[in-house]
Amino acid sequence: MRLKYPLLFFAALASLFSCVRRVETGYDSIALVDRLVSDSLPSLQRRAALAGKASGTIVLVGEPFQCLALSEKMLSDDEFDNVDARPVKDGLPDFSGETIVSILDFTVPSYDSLSVSGSDSLTLREIAVRSALAALDSVVNCKVLVICSPALASEGGEDVVDFYGKIGCDVPVVYSADSSSPLSEACYKLLRERNLFTHNIAYPVARLMMVTGVDDSHRPVLFDDIKVPESFADTVGVFAPNTYVSHVQNKHNPGRNR
């Protein structure tokens, strides 16, 4: 496996997370990536150029329940000293000053119903790439992408890295096929390593976006309870109350981190 530069590994997490771009050669891209690059490269490059800045947001993609669970955790995590990153609590949320954006994809009835073989494998790979594309939308302002679903990470993580590499996108991708892996810790260490924290003095906030249709643009829109499929009723308000309250309080201020 050839890399443009070595994988960023974080101590004990070294074997769990991939966070950098693959070079364009040596990887068998899926047809969706080839089509996007062939049809829309200049537009994608412009979107990529706006992403990856410290003023941007942490974007979570994957199965909605898993995105919301990670959002809840990141809003309250206090595992590190925010000054020197020592693994000690300091009374401040680790992601202080950050905006955590969950892009809830309601186009897949159930990720659990998809296997990691055959046509389902390709479906998962395409979902991962479309999610990565949604994260580059200007209304999202992504600086790091976190794939929350292990199945999506296993099947599509490398495709996201490949896609971002082909369009010149410097947004790092955090993912792991191990469901027990601490994604929030990996994200925190990545932000420290690359000096991507905003350094704003504020509590972290959550925003919610959603995708309800499948096409190559896969553009996210502001979360609206009315548009949530019936099978996902009460997901946000009940399952992730802190995320939901923060979203309601901040949904009219999407540019806080810009």
Side-chain angles (χ1 to χ4, degrees):
M1 179 172 66
R2 296 180 183 178
L3 301 174
K4 183 173 182 180
Y5 42 85
L7 289 178
L8 272 176
F9 290 127
F10 306 115
L13 303 178
S15 63
L16 299 179
F17 298 99
S18 299
C19 304
V20 297
R21 295 186 292 140
R22 182 192 294 274
V23 293
E24 292 188 18
T25 59
Y27 188 72
D28 186 15
S29 302
I30 59 174
L32 174 60
V33 169
D34 290 339
R35 184 171 69 248
L36 288 170
V37 172
S38 174
D39 294 347
S40 309
L41 183 57
S43 173
L44 292 171
Q45 289 175 326
R46 287 192 294 271
R47 290 167 69 172
L50 297 174
K53 296 177 172 56
S55 58
T57 67
I58 301 167
V59 179
L60 313 183
V61 298
E63 199 279 327
F65 282 105
Q66 292 166 331
C67 289
L68 293 170
L70 185 58
S71 176
E72 289 288 286
K73 179 173 173 56
M74 294 176 77
L75 285 176
S76 60
D77 262 357
D78 179 17
E79 302 297 330
F80 297 93
D81 186 300
N82 285 15
V83 174
D84 55 21
R86 288 179 301 133
V88 295
K89 299 179 184 298
D90 65 355
L92 296 172
D94 292 335
F95 294 95
S96 293
E98 301 304 315
T99 297
I100 301 157
V101 179
S102 297
I103 301 180
L104 306 180
D105 188 346
F106 295 108
T107 65
V108 184
S110 172
Y111 281 61
D112 292 338
S113 67
L114 299 174
S115 68
V116 292
S117 62
S119 61
D120 283 350
S121 175
L122 177 59
T123 297
L124 285 168
R125 295 174 69 181
E126 291 178 342
I127 291 170
V129 170
R130 287 195 171 96
S131 297
L133 177 60
L136 296 183
D137 194 281
S138 60
V139 300
V140 178
N141 193 26
C142 177
K143 67 178 174 184
V144 58
L145 180 71
V146 183
I147 301 176
C148 300
S149 304
L152 203 61
S154 174
E155 295 304 299
E158 290 293 294
D159 294 290
V160 173
V161 173
D162 173 58
F163 172 55
Y164 277 0
K166 279 182 164 57
I167 64 173
C169 180
D170 288 325
V171 169
V173 183
V174 178
Y175 62 97
S176 175
D178 182 354
S179 60
S180 66
S181 298
L183 291 172
S184 60
E185 182 177 343
C187 184
Y188 177 87
K189 292 183 176 181
L190 171 64
L191 292 174
R192 294 284 305 199
E193 176 75 17
R194 295 200 176 187
N195 193 28
L196 285 174
F197 275 106
T198 64
H199 301 297
N200 292 339
I201 301 175
Y203 282 102
V205 302
R207 285 175 52 211
L208 294 169
M209 306 294 292
M210 64 191 302
V211 175
T212 56
V214 179
D215 56 44
D216 281 358
S217 67
H218 213 61
R219 301 196 78 103
V221 297
L222 193 66
F223 177 83
D224 185 343
D225 294 278
I226 297 175
K227 297 179 182 178
V228 177
E230 197 171 311
S231 58
F232 288 88
D234 295 329
T235 295
V236 177
V238 173
F239 186 74
N242 295 325
T243 294
Y244 186 75
V245 169
S246 182
H247 166 74
V248 171
Q249 292 174 340
N250 294 282
K251 66 180 179 180
H252 297 301
N253 185 28
R256 192 194 80 165
N257 277 17
R258 295 189 183 185

